[in-house]
Amino acid sequence: MSPNNIHLLRLLPGADSTGDIASSIGNRKGPISADKVLAVGLLADPGRGTDGESVVGPSAAGTGIADPRPHGMGTLTGRVATICDPQDIYCSIDKGRNSVLGALGTVLSKSPGASPDSAVVGGGSRLATALTSDFSHADLSGFGADLADLAAALNPPAGQSVNVSNAAHSATALLGTLSPLADLLTSGAVNPAATNTLSNAPAGTAENAANQVLAGAHTSDLSGAVSTLSQITDTATQLTGTGTKTRAESSPEIATLAATAATLNNQVAPLVTTPPEILDQASRVLSVLKPQVVVDQVLNIATGITSVNYTAILNDLAMLPQKVAALDVAGAHQIAGDLNNQFAPLVTMAAGVDLTWVSQILSTIPDPTGTAQIAAVVCNILSGVDVIRIADNVGQIQEIAWSVLEGNPAALTGLLPIGLDLASAATTMLTGTATKTDTSLLGEEAAPSVSSTQITRQTQNNDLRGPTNSLTEMAGTQDTEDLTELLGQGLDAATFVTSGAHTNYAGLTVDNPGRNAIQWLTDWFTLQIRHTT
């Protein structure tokens, strides 16, 4: 049997891709024929439960988080072994009990970068894009080398032709590296709270390396670089499509390519100076930065908004300027004191967090109860409120009123200007509305219950008082999951899927002799090879 016959004996990166390839081969759609495959071993397969797999080791609940492959293993049935730790949600999840987690797992397993056959359209792809950055084609450590290769390809030694194919290859590689990095910079993931955590990490850690890379990326023009590389890639690909892989350096097309590439060096200059080892070390952190920020901040914000007494805030915000205008110092002092306490959670949420991005994330969570949608509306409205300015005004009013009450009447002259500014700043909060989210952009939803339909109807005007009252009402309904649990499920899935983290299969015993998963697969592969010799 030739070496090609045991091609799939090697565990490819990720049981997901390995299982997909095996299914394609077994259904006569793969890169090789099924008779050339001796055995396939899958660890932590997100498609576990696929027909034709042989289960090895302990029994696990449910199926894989990405759902079983619909066409099964076909003619490879009996040659595919799957091992799953029952505690590993990547391959063991009961979607009947974890509806949101299961829905997000289905979406995120088909996030950008997945094969075209498994791509999701509509709300699914929007959710995956919001929660992940596709670093599957990124090679940060090779960034400098790829940049040098592109320059060399477009500027050959005198008398030599330009290899357009090599230029297209280098530009494509650079595009795969810079695109997800540029995406991170424009998302809400790279905010002060997240970057402070990275900047405070000890030197030598991957987190510290990620902070250095982000610093270089911020001072580079990555959006311009991505545009430049797209132009180079498109032009070079079109030229190679004509059948000629080389062109004379003096040709107009090459002159245009070289001129375009020349701008690239200036656009990425700060990033180029970052040492390759730092770029390589940062990759792991940057590839999961989005879902980590979602877990650390979006969840906290979404659950925090339910603890705010919006009715009291809105009533007090409407009353305080009136008390100031009437020079009711005692009344203004009392209301300002109440508002200071009521506003504290909002100030915490507003500090260093992109509430618009949070709202977009929440609006795409496939939640049939409507809770996440209402939370999205609230965050959307709050994103247009200058919370810090309002809190500052309220604090100043409280201090001035206290000073007057303590016997300093001269301080009263500063009360009216601040009251006017407060009235202006509070307008958005009192009358502002949220941008409606097109329901076609949301994740798949189950048929809503009567209570969730009623709550959704109450938020149609999208003013702050309506949806916050709905959150209060929703908290008392028996058919609604707790918001923390609801979002926690889904956002844990985002982190888990994008990080590729699994339990330690070298420590999972799978048979009576006591072999672990790795040992069992190694022995099984060896046995299959021996049978062919």
Side-chain angles (χ1 to χ4, degrees), residues 226-252:
V226 168
S227 177
T228 297
L229 286 168
S230 296
Q231 293 178 45
I232 295 173
T233 301
D234 292 344
T235 302
T237 301
Q238 289 174 6
L239 291 176
T240 56
T242 63
T244 304
K245 294 186 177 181
T246 61
R247 290 290 176 106
E249 188 178 6
S250 59
S251 68

Side-chain angles (χ1 to χ4, degrees), residues 230-322:
S230 296
Q231 293 178 45
I232 295 173
T233 301
D234 292 344
T235 302
T237 301
Q238 289 174 6
L239 291 176
T240 56
T242 63
T244 304
K245 294 186 177 181
T246 61
R247 290 290 176 106
E249 188 178 6
S250 59
S251 68
E253 298 88 352
I254 297 303
T256 300
L257 276 177
T260 304
T263 65
L264 183 63
N265 289 326
N266 292 330
Q267 291 169 329
V268 298
L271 196 58
V272 172
T273 59
T274 307
E277 60 272 17
I278 296 295
L279 290 167
D280 182 53
Q281 197 177 12
S283 297
R284 176 180 60 81
V285 175
L286 295 177
S287 64
V288 297
L289 187 59
K290 262 193 181 183
Q292 283 180 345
V293 171
V294 169
V295 172
D296 293 341
Q297 296 186 9
V298 177
L299 177 57
N300 290 336
I301 291 171
T303 54
I305 62 174
T306 61
S307 65
V308 177
N309 189 340
Y310 295 96
T311 299
I313 287 178
L314 294 174
N315 289 339
D316 284 348
L317 273 181
M319 185 64 65
L320 183 55
Q322 297 178 34

Side-chain angles (χ1 to χ4, degrees), residues 114-166:
S115 63
D117 291 340
S118 62
V120 187
V121 296
S125 61
R126 182 170 179 251
L127 175 60
T129 300
L131 294 180
T132 62
S133 292
D134 180 19
F135 277 81
S136 61
H137 301 294
D139 180 14
L140 279 173
S141 61
F143 172 67
D146 287 334
L147 192 63
D149 288 345
L150 178 61
L154 294 175
N155 299 279
Q160 293 187 17
S161 299
V162 171
N163 190 316
V164 182
S165 180
N166 287 346

Side-chain angles (χ1 to χ4, degrees), residues 474-500:
M474 177 168 281
T477 59
Q478 295 182 352
D479 63 337
T480 303
E481 295 179 64
D482 177 76
L483 181 57
T484 303
E485 179 184 352
L486 177 71
L487 298 179
Q489 281 186 29
L491 302 179
D492 282 347
T495 300
F496 194 88
V497 174
T498 54
S499 69

Side-chain angles (χ1 to χ4, degrees), residues 144-205:
D146 287 334
L147 192 63
D149 288 345
L150 178 61
L154 294 175
N155 299 279
Q160 293 187 17
S161 299
V162 171
N163 190 316
V164 182
S165 180
N166 287 346
H169 177 77
S170 297
T172 301
L174 286 167
L175 195 59
T177 297
L178 293 185
S179 293
L181 199 53
D183 171 66
L184 267 183
L185 296 185
T186 57
S187 75
V190 182
N191 57 57
T195 53
N196 281 342
T197 300
L198 297 179
S199 62
N200 292 328
T205 63

